Amino acid sequence: EVQLVESGGGLVQPGGSLRLSCAASGFTFSSYEMNWVRQAPGKGLEWVSYISSSGSTIYYADSVKGRFTISRDNAKNSLYLQMNSLRAEDTAVYYCARDGKGVAGFDYWGQGTLVTVSS
Amino acid sequence: IQLTQSPSSLSASVGDRVTITCRASQGISSYLAWYQQKPGKAPKLLIYAASTLQSGVPSRFSGSGSGTDFTLTISSLQPEDFATYYCQQLNSYSITFGQGTRLEIK
């Protein structure tokens, strides 16, 4: 069974940092591209970042470029999101999502972890 | 690429046929997916490549379209279908989602 489990969320002050993790199991993690998607309270979905299976190709949404860093450790079956210079508008539930093969959408999602940026 | 869904909200009854549309600001071929999200839960993939049903998704869900105009149709609404639906374009990175369509019970 495919499972994605996020962790690392919490309350952080504006300007602070946080590192999210996503533990993957039930599939060959190193063969899949991965993404982070977030959802502010009561709002829609916003794609945040993408990483290729090897980690060699990375993309970011303009809203987080220069502040967030996506990475992965295929030996540990883990995906990460390092978030720096956090702002109030970064408050959201953050989901990790597996990229289906080709352009098949995001076929598996974690349960999400809440990040709250507030003083 | 911007995605505009219509309507933003919709009231319908069990057994109704419902159609949600998604319009892209530029052509995206068939690189469109549809998701269902229930409160407090992660999104669930329903349709990818505009019209391909994800494994395990009931056949009452269907998708169509290409280029800039797409539709998600639920042929006969079931109680468990009341949720929010999002379209997503995968034509380019940056990926974008539509603003969502909330489907409510009439």
Side-chain angles (χ1 to χ4, degrees):
Chain A
E1 179 193 5
V2 172
Q3 282 198 315
L4 298 169
V5 180
E6 300 95 339
S7 61
L11 176 63
V12 62
Q13 291 188 338
S17 298
L18 213 53
R19 188 196 196 205
L20 305 184
S21 299
C22 172
S25 60
F27 65 103
T28 305
F29 180 71
S30 59
S31 296
Y32 284 85
E33 302 157 0
M34 298 293 295
N35 296 268
W36 288 99
V37 176
R38 68 184 181 183
Q39 186 169 36
K43 302 297 183 182
L45 301 169
E46 180 187 15
W47 170 78
V48 171
S49 185
Y50 157 94
I51 187 167
S52 63
S53 56
S54 66
S56 61
T57 300
I58 285 172
Y59 299 107
Y60 298 100
D62 287 344
S63 58
V64 307
K65 202 172 295 182
R67 301 188 298 122
F68 289 11
T69 302
I70 191 172
S71 62
R72 65 190 296 160
D73 185 336
N74 287 339
K76 294 184 178 179
N77 292 334
S78 292
L79 175 72
Y80 306 102
L81 187 68
Q82 177 67 42
M83 303 186 297
N84 298 332
S85 303
L86 283 162
R87 307 166 180 167
E89 55 264 37
D90 296 318
T91 294
V93 174
Y94 285 73
Y95 296 100
C96 64
R98 192 179 84 167
D99 211 308
K101 294 296 186 180
V103 285
F106 297 174
D107 58 356
Y108 286 93
W109 298 60
Q111 83 290 350
T113 187
L114 177 62
V115 172
T116 302
V117 183
S118 175
S119 55
Chain B
I1 298 173
Q2 293 184 347
L3 297 178
T4 303
Q5 289 182 232
S6 60
S8 295
S9 64
L10 175 61
S11 293
S13 301
V14 172
D16 284 354
R17 179 183 180 90
V18 166
T19 297
I20 298 169
T21 66
C22 179
R23 175 163 289 178
S25 60
Q26 64 188 72
I28 57 171
S29 185
S30 296
Y31 300 138
L32 189 102
W34 289 96
Y35 297 85
Q36 177 193 66
Q37 186 180 33
K38 296 181 179 179
K41 300 294 187 182
K44 173 186 175 183
L45 178 64
L46 300 175
I47 302 278
Y48 64 91
S51 60
T52 302
L53 196 66
Q54 173 69 354
S55 177
V57 173
S59 60
R60 62 181 180 273
F61 291 93
S62 64
S64 66
S66 66
T68 60
D69 294 312
F70 302 86
T71 60
L72 172 70
T73 299
I74 310 172
S75 60
S76 179
L77 274 174
Q78 299 301 302
E80 60 269 28
D81 299 338
F82 292 94
T84 300
Y85 293 84
Y86 294 94
C87 57
Q88 175 201 38
Q89 68 81 18
L90 302 105
N91 183 65
S92 66
Y93 281 95
S94 190
I95 287 171
T96 47
F97 290 89
Q99 82 279 14
T101 294
R102 185 175 179 181
L103 179 54
E104 301 174 321
I105 301 173
K106 185 183 288 184

